Amino acid sequence: MDVASWSPAAASVNQRQQPQIKQQVAATISVAAGQSHPLTTASSSVVKPESLKAKTRPNELNDGAPKKQKHSNCKHFRCLKLYCECFASGMYCDECNCVNCYKNVEYEAVRRDSVGATLKSNLNAFRPKINSSSHGAKDNKEAGEVLMLGKHSKGCHCKRSGCLRKYCECFQANILCSESCKCMGCKKFKGSEERQALFHGDYANNMAYIQQAANATTTGAIGSSGYASAPVSKKRKSQELLLGSTAKDPSVHSLGHLQQFLVLVLQ
DNA sequence: GAGTTTGAAACT
DNA sequence: CAGTTTCAAACTC
């Protein structure tokens, strides 16, 4: 397969059209990889593509702020790895702050080689990580949240953030963690009504609460008992930890607040 | 703005 | 495939 045949030549013609090109490129890459592409379906307008895996700025969270083109800050000659957001989204760097960026027309051959190498090691490298569900987005606008019903193709592997921070790709994509995730101490899973409940009511307070929960997780509230292997059972276990027998956890104080809050919300 | 933390990507 | 390292973004102070 001529994986390197993905040519952002079109993009190079007019890099200023990149926001539009982004999705097309993502789709093209997958087609080049011989795979169907979820973005070719109606879901493309619903679920953020890889390009919008949204390393959004903090103040962009759920606020509907316009999505500006990202400006990566790669160093170490690494603009040709998936570490680089622009590379991952199939774009040239444009007004980025990268050091020694090879991702431009001048180094097209090098860049193409890198694309090929990346695809060689991972055919899905440029596929959107978020697969949409057939139900589209669950519009929860009253609470200021549009919850995507997509699913992370690989799942996240968060350990300390509780999947409540932007380190978490699921969180970034505004989707719930699924059985694909191998996260620990997850607080963003299906069935976790409390997580969604957090979005009802005062947004700032809820975000503060999420922050608190995340902090609790970070500071050890996950605890030894919070780690489990099977994702599904893990989710249940996490729920149990939140709503049930967390008493054995010495750092239960923060979770205790969360528990009280959740109980109130759920009533 | 500097330093730390985090988790994905890359590497071994 | 699992463990480790590298990397850049998120986050804290």
Side-chain angles (χ1 to χ4, degrees):
Chain A
M1 164 183 28
D2 183 14
V3 289
S5 66
W6 165 59
S7 171
S12 70
V13 170
N14 186 356
Q15 295 185 41
R16 306 300 170 192
Q17 293 180 348
Q18 285 176 348
Q20 288 181 334
I21 291 171
K22 249 167 144 182
Q23 287 191 5
Q24 297 172 0
V25 167
T28 305
I29 290 170
S30 294
V31 169
Q35 299 169 20
S36 62
H37 197 289
L39 290 183
T40 60
T41 68
S43 63
S44 62
S45 62
V46 172
V47 173
K48 292 180 182 178
E50 168 68 13
S51 60
L52 291 180
K53 87 179 175 181
K55 307 298 207 232
T56 49
R57 298 297 158 211
N59 58 2
E60 291 180 60
L61 181 68
N62 282 335
D63 63 359
K67 299 274 189 306
K68 293 181 181 177
Q69 178 179 336
K70 297 168 300 220
H71 300 299
S72 53
N73 299 283
C74 307
K75 303 162 190 165
H76 307 287
F77 307 87
R78 293 292 187 174
C79 269
L80 296 177
K81 297 283 187 182
L82 290 172
Y83 295 124
C84 176
E85 288 182 53
C86 302
F87 181 83
S89 58
M91 298 168 58
Y92 288 122
C93 282
D94 183 21
E95 299 179 11
C96 292
N97 304 312
C98 309
V99 177
N100 292 315
C101 181
Y102 273 42
K103 211 161 56 293
N104 52 52
V105 180
E106 187 177 356
Y107 295 99
E108 170 61 19
V110 180
R111 189 207 56 77
R112 203 188 289 186
D113 283 348
S114 188
V115 169
T118 302
L119 280 171
K120 195 173 183 178
S121 60
N122 178 12
L123 276 177
N124 298 325
F126 295 96
R127 289 191 72 191
K129 293 177 191 169
I130 310 304
N131 302 318
S132 67
S133 83
S134 57
H135 302 298
K138 178 180 181 180
D139 198 341
N140 204 7
K141 280 177 182 167
E142 304 133 23
E145 177 194 36
V146 177
L147 178 65
M148 301 300 179
L149 294 183
K151 181 180 171 184
H152 199 292
S153 56
K154 288 169 59 182
C156 66
H157 299 79
C158 305
K159 294 174 183 172
R160 303 177 65 86
S161 67
C163 299
L164 291 177
R165 296 193 177 192
K166 291 182 74 177
Y167 301 123
C168 175
E169 293 202 341
C170 295
F171 183 90
Q172 287 191 355
N174 198 23
I175 60 175
L176 295 175
C177 287
S178 68
E179 63 274 11
S180 301
C181 297
K182 296 182 174 63
C183 44
M184 298 174 179
C186 181
K187 293 183 175 62
K188 189 171 173 53
F189 54 92
K190 189 175 183 180
S192 173
E193 297 296 333
E194 61 269 30
R195 188 206 66 79
Q196 297 184 44
L198 289 173
F199 285 94
H200 292 278
D202 182 69
Y203 175 75
N205 285 341
N206 291 339
M207 284 309 295
Y209 215 92
I210 287 175
Q211 188 74 41
Q212 183 180 354
N215 286 339
T217 300
T218 303
T219 55
I222 297 171
S224 55
S225 59
Y227 288 66
S229 53
V232 175
S233 60
K234 172 186 64 183
K235 309 298 182 191
R236 295 207 188 99
K237 208 163 188 175
S238 298
Q239 193 172 18
E240 288 169 10
L241 280 174
L242 282 173
L243 299 175
S245 56
T246 54
K248 59 183 175 183
D249 192 327
S251 55
V252 73
H253 293 92
S254 296
L255 279 179
H257 287 300
L258 177 61
Q259 182 177 342
Q260 290 175 12
F261 173 78
L262 296 177
V263 167
L264 285 174
V265 168
L266 291 172
Q267 279 176 346

